[in-house]
Amino acid sequence: MVRGSLMHAARLGAGTAAVIAVLGLSGCAFNPLSTFTTPTIDQIERETVTPTVSDDALVTPGTLTVALDTSDAPQAMQGADGNLTGYAVDAARALASRMGLKVAFVDASSADSALGDKKADIFIGDINSTDGDISTLGTCLYDAAAVFGKTSDGESLSVSTETLNAATLGVQTSSASQEVLAKQSITANQKTFSNINECFEALEFGEIDYVICDSTAGGYLARLMSQISYVGALETPSTLGVAGLAANDELCRAVSDALDGITVDGTLEAVHSVWYGTMPYDLTTKTVSGADVQSTDTGSSESASSDSSSEGANSEDKSSSQEATITDDDINKLNS
């Protein structure tokens, strides 16, 4: 992935343009002195996309059936209205749209259980498959133990391991984040809480200096708090991947191409900003100085799927760092 603020802005712009294209809105020049009327739903012409795969390659004709772990909040969770919501859900919708397909979801805890029994076409989540028939098609999310801090003037926060050692840190009791702090030789004063929500409340009220938690949970909560933001990663990011049955070559190629497409044109990064706010898609672009964090290649789904040994290691890290508690109250805030 090409990095930098200009490319980031260009991709977000391209992602927004992709959304406009899906709605069928034209790019007419806007005259501030003229009368502006929003078109009705009936007036919007939606672009028709020819399906990129045949019905024979799908569990259900015309539909991309996506398996998700619905307990993995905020990537997938039940909303206040009972409908499935989350980053992985929206990423799947974007993927299906690019492929010219409808989308349907099924709950599954692993790629093996979902794809081996042909309950779904693809699985989005922690790819730690023991089945040689499962093929990793790419990456759609990066995750790591990270630092979140508070600023009153909107300035960009920057910390080092030395800074953290002199601070009071909020962490969830018996969490993977505490293990990461130990691995980074950060021996700061720790104040423990029963869940991440309490950590962020303490940060908001000035009871602690920083929160150390899973980046996706932290990014999701921080987006609701104007003065709290992502500071940096404390470890090498793990990944949330997309997997399919290797034997279904037609579908695997189509999904891989579509994933590359929504990554390159900024659609995926735009969806990421909706769910995780200003936290960067590529977590290695902003890390804690002094922490042992390796660079990650975030170029395309093709490059991500070509290194199976690296993907396996990242998946193992992901499973050990899940920790956050997202409450119903947070989901209600999101949908209000």
Side-chain angles (χ1 to χ4, degrees):
M1 176 178 291
V2 180
R3 298 172 183 169
S5 58
L6 291 179
M7 179 57 68
H8 177 79
R11 285 186 170 178
L12 287 181
T16 303
V19 173
I20 292 175
V22 170
L23 293 177
L25 301 179
S26 61
C28 300
F30 174 63
N31 180 355
L33 300 179
S34 65
T35 301
F36 183 77
T37 303
T38 302
T40 66
I41 293 177
D42 292 337
Q43 292 174 324
I44 297 175
E45 296 180 2
R46 302 184 187 280
E47 180 183 0
T48 300
V49 181
T50 302
T52 58
V53 291
S54 65
D55 287 344
D56 291 340
L58 300 166
V59 171
T60 301
T63 301
L64 183 67
T65 305
V66 182
L68 299 164
D69 181 356
T70 58
S71 66
D72 184 24
Q75 284 65 257
M77 52 191 173
Q78 293 292 330
D81 57 2
N83 293 324
L84 195 62
T85 185
Y87 169 78
V89 175
D90 283 350
R93 294 186 191 280
L95 195 60
S97 178
R98 179 59 63 96
M99 296 174 68
L101 302 171
K102 297 177 182 178
V103 66
F105 299 98
V106 296
D107 186 21
S109 59
S110 69
D112 291 342
S113 63
L115 303 180
D117 295 338
K118 296 186 177 179
K119 297 177 181 177
D121 298 307
I122 61 172
F123 175 81
I124 298 181
D126 178 16
I127 311 300
N128 191 18
S129 176
T130 58
D131 189 341
D133 294 332
I134 304 299
S135 178
T136 301
L137 308 178
T139 295
C140 65
L141 180 66
Y142 294 85
D143 195 11
V147 180
F148 289 84
K150 181 179 180 182
T151 175
S152 58
D153 54 9
E155 65 180 10
S156 178
L157 294 172
S158 179
V159 303
S160 64
T161 52
E162 184 177 354
T163 303
L164 294 179
N165 266 321
T168 299
L169 310 180
V171 293
Q172 181 176 316
T173 305
S174 302
S175 67
S177 292
Q178 289 181 302
E179 298 177 8
V180 172
L181 288 171
K183 288 179 182 178
Q184 297 290 353
S185 299
I186 297 173
T187 58
N189 177 41
Q190 295 182 18
K191 189 171 183 179
T192 58
F193 301 86
S194 61
N195 57 56
I196 303 301
N197 308 69
E198 293 179 358
C199 291
F200 272 76
E201 288 176 3
L203 179 60
E204 191 171 28
F205 289 113
E207 299 172 10
I208 55 177
D209 298 309
Y210 301 98
V211 170
I212 314 298
C213 68
D214 179 87
S215 62
T216 58
Y220 174 72
L221 295 179
R223 61 183 289 282
L224 302 174
M225 304 174 178
S226 60
Q227 295 183 341
I228 296 178
S229 61
Y230 171 87
V231 176
L234 272 172
E235 62 178 348
T236 303
S238 57
T239 59
L240 204 71
V242 180
L245 278 177
N248 194 343
D249 183 65
E250 179 187 355
L251 180 65
C252 286
R253 286 180 180 275
V255 171
S256 181
D257 288 345
L259 184 56
D260 277 336
I262 65 173
T263 300
V264 171
D265 75 2
T267 299
L268 193 60
E269 196 165 356
V271 173
H272 187 275
S273 69
V274 169
W275 286 95
Y276 308 117
T278 58
M279 186 176 75
Y281 175 77
D282 178 3
L283 298 183
T284 62
T285 62
K286 193 175 182 184
T287 61
V288 173
S289 176
D292 182 14
V293 180
Q294 300 173 16
S295 177
T296 302
D297 180 11
T298 60
S300 69
S301 62
E302 181 178 356
S303 64
S305 61
S306 64
D307 189 354
S308 58
S309 61
S310 175
E311 187 73 29
N314 284 341
S315 296
E316 183 177 353
D317 291 341
K318 176 74 168 69
S319 63
S320 66
S321 64
Q322 270 310 343
E323 63 177 55
T325 300
I326 301 296
T327 68
D328 290 339
D329 182 54
D330 297 312
I331 299 172
N332 291 335
K333 287 179 182 177
L334 177 68
N335 290 308
S336 61

